[in-house]
Amino acid sequence: MDAQSRRRADEIDPADQWVLNPRTGNYELRLDSSAEQQTQQQRPSVGAPRRTRKAPAAPEAPSPVVPGPRRGDGPPGGRRGGGRSRRIGGGGRKKALMITGGTLAFLLVGGSVGAYLYYDHLNGNLNVTDIGNAGSGGFKKDQPINILVIGTDKRSGAGNEGYGDKDSVGHADTTILFHVSKDRSNATALSIPRDLITAVPDCPTKQPDGSTKNIPGEKGTRFNTSLGQAGRDPGCTMRTVKEITGIQVDHFMMVDFNAVKNLSTAVGGVPVCLEKDVNDKDSKLKLTAGEHRLAGEDALAFVRTRHAFGNQSDLDRIKTQQQFLGSMMREMKSKETLTSPKKFLSLAEVATKSLTVDSGIGSIDKLTDLAGELKDMNLKNISFTTLPVVDNPAEKVKATVVVNQAQADPLLKMIRGDVSLTEVEKKEKAAKESAEAQDKAKQDALLQGEKAPAGDVRVDIRNGGGPAGSASTTLNWLQNSKGVNKASNLGNAPAKIPATQLEFAPNQAAQARALADMMGLPATALKVAAADAGPKTPMKLTLGADFKGAGIALNAPTEAPEGVQRVEADKAICAK
């Protein structure tokens, strides 16, 4: 290719070359004639038909295809006009990869991105951290998904030097546990205050040389020290969240200041609403009352401000961040974004460059699988809430908080029990006559009926994920407090499980109901076998990661406790 032709091909904007063919309903790559001619001259024809991508169906607008080719590459998606894709430096054909609604940016900050980018290029953008066994080992398609989204205050990158301690290794400054329901119909985003006083457990961390270093735990410290301090990695934050909530985290995703600036710019600005004028010298946020569209430095100042709204605490900053994320989600799902190939391309580039993930989802293939689980979720069924806390009673000058157990316990039980916080979702489910609803009613029926006397209950107890010694303490509690004298402690289970299970035979139903009533087990914990058991055969109780202690009920409430802050992602709220 001569210099003039090469320059002309280089100037092609890939986002402008994908055009919807109204006759076929396909998106097709349309190069100008000279560039296409040069491309075809370089590739031998194999007589294959032109490959196209079918435009995905969508209720509002089709999701366009964005190839994202690099300088000198042939058109993405393989052949065109009988040609064969060109190999670059022996690297093989570049694979195009679809990432549709509810994907990378949604996982970062709750938005939705659709794009086609080169497989190797997109993978090269990702930062991957090996967290050992801090996660569950991977999300499962038929189980709830728990993703820990971490926003660190690390000041790396150009333009961030003026924010606070420029030499800081970073903290878990903004942390959201994103729980996706088993049926993928709803999600709960639980914010964890950075100034929460908690215990950070021992943390095995992978070192650059491949060895593992155990970082000792710490009691009575701020939650945000679970990351960065003493060499702690995101796996330490995941372990800390599990200690606080009783919820096993599957994966983490981490971003820094640059992600807020770059994502807000890529989407064309994020709409926000203010009830009053703001002039915060610390965060450099200066805005008048009313509506604004924020991007870059202004967007970062908005999510960082602690002195502009409410009582100027971190808890009010969390509310502001939730409002911003909800608005970004709505913006990414808007027609203006869904129909703009350039925005898709820019968002996918920014999202992957901003993202650090665990090795369990450390490739675009794995992230795409995860995105597929989330793509159909409606924003009105995503609830933002915050772990309930109160001022630390040990402090005269209030600077930190502790968990408000009266409100937090039922809220966390709802999340562990996969109960939606969204009233809209509950009404929709109640209106459906589905097989799932019938299965739930059948499961609930297991708790109804005769209950055996405590002295007739036979059960073997194993610890499959509860606190150390749970099988022993549960045995003592059942025998001494409940009169279950035919119980045995079999120690640790062969494998850990996320939720407590009681396995029993049909002729042990009365015993199972009695034990479930004593322990507060939900219907979902009861697993009935097909055949009857012998007269002296014990049931099998395996305590899961949701087990908090003997006498603490596991059955989840159906309503959030009064006073718990929450807002749905589809609602626009003015900061005040």
Side-chain angles (χ1 to χ4, degrees):
M1 181 182 295
D2 59 34
Q4 181 178 359
S5 298
R6 183 168 58 250
R7 184 166 56 253
R8 183 178 302 155
D10 288 345
E11 292 171 355
I12 294 173
D13 186 340
D16 292 333
Q17 303 309 308
W18 286 95
V19 182
L20 179 66
N21 186 332
R23 293 183 294 102
T24 64
N26 296 330
Y27 278 97
E28 299 176 358
L29 183 64
R30 302 286 178 85
L31 302 176
D32 65 39
S33 58
S34 59
E36 183 173 5
Q37 182 180 6
Q38 292 291 342
T39 301
Q40 291 185 2
Q41 286 176 354
Q42 288 195 335
R43 304 184 223 167
S45 173
V46 293
R50 179 171 62 195
R51 293 177 58 185
T52 58
R53 298 280 184 182
K54 186 70 176 177
E60 295 182 330
S63 180
V65 180
V66 183
R70 291 172 297 189
R71 190 174 298 251
D73 284 357
R79 296 191 275 277
R80 171 168 172 79
R84 180 161 32 204
S85 64
R86 186 159 51 98
R87 296 184 179 275
I88 308 297
R93 186 174 67 180
K94 310 302 182 189
K95 292 167 57 181
L97 182 51
M98 182 176 71
I99 302 176
T100 53
T103 70
L104 292 177
F106 176 80
L107 300 175
L108 283 170
V109 288
S112 126
V113 173
Y116 277 84
L117 287 177
Y118 281 132
Y119 178 87
D120 63 338
H121 174 66
L122 213 55
N123 269 332
N125 285 346
L126 290 171
N127 296 305
V128 181
T129 297
D130 185 354
I131 55 170
N133 62 355
S136 66
F139 74 91
K140 298 177 176 60
K141 291 183 177 296
D142 59 346
Q143 295 296 326
I145 302 173
N146 295 297
I147 304 165
L148 195 64
V149 181
I150 305 171
T152 175
D153 60 355
K154 187 175 181 180
R155 275 84 177 170
S156 61
N160 295 327
E161 300 85 354
Y163 299 127
D165 179 9
K166 66 178 181 179
D167 297 321
S168 172
V169 294
H171 303 75
D173 193 56
T174 299
T175 305
I176 298 175
L177 178 60
F178 194 74
H179 171 86
V180 182
S181 67
K182 179 179 178 179
D183 64 5
R184 309 298 186 252
S185 67
N186 65 86
T188 300
L190 176 72
S191 293
I192 301 177
R194 69 176 190 176
D195 295 327
L196 173 70
I197 295 299
T198 187
V200 176
D202 292 349
C203 181
T205 60
K206 292 286 187 178
Q207 302 300 302
D209 62 0
S211 63
T212 298
K213 176 183 177 181
N214 188 62
I215 300 176
E218 189 176 355
K219 294 182 179 179
T221 187
R222 275 180 165 88
F223 170 77
N224 69 349
T225 63
S226 64
L227 176 70
Q229 312 310 299
R232 296 187 179 109
D233 65 6
C236 301
T237 307
M238 294 169 68
R239 296 175 195 273
T240 306
V241 168
K242 181 181 178 181
E243 290 289 321
I244 295 170
T245 65
I247 298 170
Q248 174 65 64
V249 182
D250 298 306
H251 303 286
F252 86 88
M253 297 185 171
M254 185 170 68
V255 296
D256 60 15
F257 283 168
N258 289 322
V260 177
K261 294 192 292 187
N262 295 337
L263 281 170
S264 60
T265 300
V267 80
V270 176
V272 301
C273 174
L274 283 70
E275 288 194 359
K276 61 180 182 180
D277 294 347
V278 169
N279 186 6
D280 180 3
K281 295 181 180 179
D282 288 339
S283 69
K284 303 178 178 63
L285 179 68
K286 186 176 181 179
L287 296 171
T288 58
E291 297 182 356
H292 299 269
R293 182 174 286 270
L294 304 182
E297 295 289 347
D298 290 336
L300 179 59
F302 185 81
V303 299
R304 288 186 65 244
T305 182
R306 291 188 62 169
H307 306 297
F309 307 113
N311 62 6
Q312 301 186 13
S313 71
D314 185 56
L315 298 179
D316 284 291
R317 187 179 72 146
I318 288 174
K319 293 179 183 178
T320 303
Q321 291 171 345
Q322 291 174 349
Q323 293 163 13
F324 182 86
L325 296 182
S327 181
M328 181 174 279
M329 291 165 63
R330 295 190 297 274
E331 192 68 16
M332 288 179 173
K333 281 184 171 290
S334 68
K335 284 185 178 180
E336 288 74 16
T337 301
L338 289 173
T339 56
S340 171
K342 288 186 178 181
K343 280 190 178 181
F344 278 144
L345 179 61
S346 179
L347 280 168
E349 279 287 319
V350 169
T352 51
K353 287 180 179 177
S354 302
L355 188 62
T356 299
V357 298
D358 60 276
S359 53
I361 49 173
S363 71
I364 300 305
D365 277 342
K366 295 174 181 177
L367 281 174
T368 304
D369 289 342
L370 183 56
E373 298 293 306
L374 310 178
K375 63 184 178 64
D376 296 326
M377 193 174 298
N378 195 311
L379 293 182
K380 67 183 179 180
N381 290 328
I382 300 175
S383 297
F384 285 103
T385 187
T386 304
L387 181 71
V389 295
V390 294
D391 287 336
N392 187 350
E395 295 176 335
K396 290 183 179 180
V397 178
K398 304 304 180 185
T400 62
V401 294
V402 295
V403 174
N404 179 349
Q405 296 293 349
Q407 290 186 334
D409 286 347
L411 174 63
L412 293 174
K413 284 179 183 177
M414 290 183 71
I415 298 175
R416 290 194 297 264
D418 206 25
V419 179
S420 174
L421 297 184
T422 310
E423 294 297 331
V424 173
E425 170 64 17
K426 293 174 186 175
K427 291 177 182 178
E428 288 178 352
K429 280 190 173 182
K432 292 179 181 178
E433 293 294 331
S434 63
E436 181 180 345
Q438 295 173 10
D439 290 343
K440 185 178 184 302
K442 184 178 180 180
Q443 189 76 24
D444 289 342
L446 294 175
L447 295 174
Q448 308 302 316
E450 179 186 359
K451 297 180 178 66
D456 292 344
V457 174
R458 297 176 182 270
V459 61
D460 287 340
I461 308 168
R462 293 179 174 84
N463 186 4
S470 290
S472 176
T473 56
T474 300
L475 174 66
N476 293 335
W477 178 75
L478 286 173
Q479 290 180 336
N480 299 326
S481 301
K482 297 298 181 180
V484 181
N485 298 316
K486 297 174 182 176
S488 301
N489 171 17
L490 299 189
N492 291 329
K496 292 185 177 182
I497 58 174
T500 298
Q501 290 186 0
L502 176 61
E503 301 173 73
F504 64 98
N507 61 336
Q508 296 173 321
Q511 295 183 52
R513 285 190 286 266
L515 187 61
D517 184 59
M518 296 176 200
M519 298 189 63
L521 298 179
T524 52
L526 275 58
K527 309 296 180 185
V528 60
D532 285 346
K536 293 186 178 182
T537 301
M539 300 181 292
K540 297 178 182 179
L541 174 65
T542 305
L543 306 175
D546 61 343
F547 184 78
K548 303 299 287 185
I552 301 177
L554 293 177
N555 46 343
T558 58
E559 300 290 340
E562 186 176 353
V564 170
Q565 171 263 337
R566 72 176 186 268
V567 64
E568 280 71 53
D570 67 323
K571 291 182 172 62
I573 299 176
C574 288
K576 57 183 179 180

